[in-house]
Amino acid sequence: KVLDASTLSFGTRVKWFAICFVAGIVCSILGTALLWLPKGIKLFAVFYTLGNIAALASTCFLMGPLKQLKAMFEPKRLVATVVMLVNIL
């Protein structure tokens, strides 16, 4: 069940999911837009990474962090998870 992992209400979880997910999208788009400025590569890297982390964290509000990590490291998702985490660093 969705509510098993936290004391937050379902409505609160959905609100914070939306906030984090939208923030992730905004950061990713902003990073892409800043790519053409001087020193834009560094700004792109920072904002795009923050966007990916925010979008990934948004699902923790729906599933809970432990369930999210268990799902990410299932054998069928392991390679994708490792590639994503290595590229974020």
Side-chain angles (χ1 to χ4, degrees), residues 12-29:
T12 302
R13 286 174 159 264
V14 171
K15 286 176 193 171
W16 280 104
F17 163 77
I19 289 168
C20 283
F21 192 72
V22 169
I25 291 171
V26 168
C27 283
S28 295
I29 291 171

Side-chain angles (χ1 to χ4, degrees), residues 46-60:
V46 169
F47 280 99
Y48 201 78
T49 299
L50 289 175
N52 281 317
I53 291 170
L56 182 63
S58 70
T59 57
C60 287

